[in-house]
Amino acid sequence: MLMTSTCGGQSRTTCNSFESWLAVVLHSRRQRGGGVYDHQIMDAKSFTLRVGVVGYGHLGQFLVDRLLKAGPGLGLVLGFVWNRNPDKLKGSVPTELILDDLSSFANRRCDVIVEVCHPQIVRDFGIDFLSKSHFMVGSPSALANHDLNEKLRQASLQHERTLYIPSGALWGGQDIQRMNDSGTLKALFIRMSKHPSCYRLTGDILSDWSEGEGRRVLFRGSVADLCPLAPNNVNTMAAAAVAAGSLGFTGVQGEIVSDTALKDFHVVEVEVTGPDGFSVHTVRRNPAKLGAVTGSATYNSFWNSLLVCRGHGGRVYLC
């Protein structure tokens, strides 16, 4: 069963426009008996948001393409694109939108900066980004570092900018967050299984894999210990650790599995434990090509997360 993150109670892949997202939010809040924040809805539709994209891998290319083609109709304008190898941008991105020096990002006056590059960018520029704009962290595994996590939260609060954490491939993130906030979340475990060619691991833990070897557990333990081992592969787990703030990166447990039988999918299993025997177990199968770090359904999830990034104050916000 293919699952994607939710958008106001609907599958994210069904919320194909900002207008439909607004309608879903409006309906959802009325159903819950809550007030509709008319000034927020009006503001979201009445001003244009400038977006800077940091990273031009597969996900970055997808976001840039959507911003150029669909962004203007949704009140989104591409402010800049930066990539470690600027040559990759030539011929694909309009010259005036290419940012050569990331340290000069503030000159582009973006409202939101989206990082889809590497955790090192979050470490090097995250605090500076938050001093000038809202910041969507596509590599939340960087937040496994407690000191950086705290500094980013403080910068968000100080500058009244939102630190956005996209749900990505995480199923049920908002529900996990609600349980966490109500004090009913007791344990959280996430297993991620992929073909070995889809992993980008530090060290040589998977250097000896061979086609046909089957299933191999590579690591099981805290997400805090897992993130440095697989910084590009476990952002789903990192997002879950943010949602489960009471457990945190140390308390949330994760497992990564190499399975040569998984040639067409990434599989993410989430096990949530609450009080009095309550539990939820979900399995998400995300279509993915061999060697792909990111599954195909996650691209639309990121795009819909970006549509939400219109300012939620100085805090961390799972979107």
Side-chain angles (χ1 to χ4, degrees):
M1 178 169 57
L2 174 63
M3 296 180 174
T4 53
S5 304
T6 59
C7 176
Q10 291 190 2
S11 169
R12 283 232 168 150
T13 54
T14 67
C15 297
N16 292 322
S17 73
F18 184 58
E19 285 75 14
S20 65
W21 172 79
L22 290 177
V24 170
V25 171
L26 201 69
H27 177 71
S28 177
R29 283 175 176 163
R30 283 174 176 159
Q31 275 195 326
R32 295 197 301 265
V36 176
Y37 303 108
D38 294 323
H39 67 284
Q40 291 182 352
I41 301 300
M42 179 180 66
D43 287 348
K45 297 181 71 176
S46 62
F47 74 88
T48 298
L49 218 67
R50 287 177 58 84
V51 180
V53 177
V54 179
Y56 199 66
H58 294 299
L59 182 53
Q61 292 173 37
F62 174 83
L63 293 176
V64 168
D65 182 67
R66 291 296 295 269
L67 283 165
L68 289 173
K69 293 179 179 178
L74 302 174
L76 300 173
V77 174
L78 185 61
F80 73 79
V81 183
W82 177 90
N83 194 57
R84 281 181 290 185
N85 179 7
D87 292 338
K88 190 175 181 180
L89 304 176
K90 296 176 181 178
S92 300
V93 177
T95 303
E96 66 274 14
L97 295 177
I98 296 176
L99 182 66
D100 294 318
D101 182 5
L102 189 55
S103 63
S104 65
F105 75 91
N107 296 336
R108 299 300 180 101
R109 299 183 180 277
C110 288
D111 301 289
V112 179
I113 293 177
V114 181
E115 174 275 319
V116 282
C117 185
H118 192 274
Q120 190 61 46
I121 296 296
V122 183
R123 290 189 284 268
D124 292 343
F125 289 94
I127 294 172
D128 291 336
F129 288 161
L130 283 167
S131 71
K132 301 295 182 182
S133 65
H134 304 301
F135 180 32
M136 188 170 106
V137 183
S139 302
S141 60
L143 275 65
N145 182 298
H146 179 75
D147 289 341
L148 177 63
N149 193 323
E150 288 300 312
K151 288 178 180 178
L152 289 171
R153 290 172 182 270
Q154 291 170 9
S156 173
L157 182 62
Q158 176 185 348
H159 300 289
E160 297 184 348
R161 308 286 188 181
T162 308
L163 180 64
Y164 287 103
I165 308 298
S167 297
L170 177 64
W171 176 254
Q174 287 78 11
D175 296 301
I176 293 170
Q177 193 168 47
R178 292 188 192 102
M179 288 185 65
N180 177 80
D181 294 345
S182 66
T184 59
L185 181 63
K186 302 303 180 184
L188 178 60
F189 171 76
I190 303 168
R191 176 184 295 111
M192 183 174 290
S193 302
K194 300 181 180 184
H195 188 274
S197 67
C198 298
Y199 282 107
R200 304 291 184 270
L201 306 179
T202 59
D204 58 358
I205 188 173
L206 197 52
S207 61
D208 61 342
W209 76 272
S210 60
E211 200 62 68
E213 71 177 22
R215 187 176 185 276
R216 189 202 313 186
V217 176
L218 303 176
F219 178 93
R220 183 183 176 108
S222 75
V223 173
D225 291 333
L226 180 53
C227 282
L229 174 65
N232 295 317
N233 289 111
V234 296
N235 289 310
T236 297
M237 299 185 187
V242 172
S246 60
L247 299 174
F249 282 81
T250 302
V252 176
Q253 300 297 296
E255 179 179 288
I256 54 174
V257 177
S258 167
D259 190 342
T260 54
L262 295 176
K263 297 182 179 182
D264 301 306
F265 292 92
H266 296 169
V267 180
V268 179
E269 299 174 68
V270 179
E271 297 179 11
V272 181
T273 304
D276 303 320
F278 174 86
S279 66
V280 176
H281 180 198
T282 65
V283 179
R284 182 183 191 269
R285 293 182 177 86
N286 191 354
K289 296 179 180 179
L290 287 175
V293 174
T294 304
S296 59
T298 306
Y299 289 79
N300 278 324
S301 176
F302 262 82
W303 172 249
N304 283 287
S305 290
L306 177 57
L307 295 180
V308 177
C309 298
R310 292 181 174 263
H312 290 79
R315 58 171 171 154
V316 179
Y317 192 89
L318 185 71
C319 60

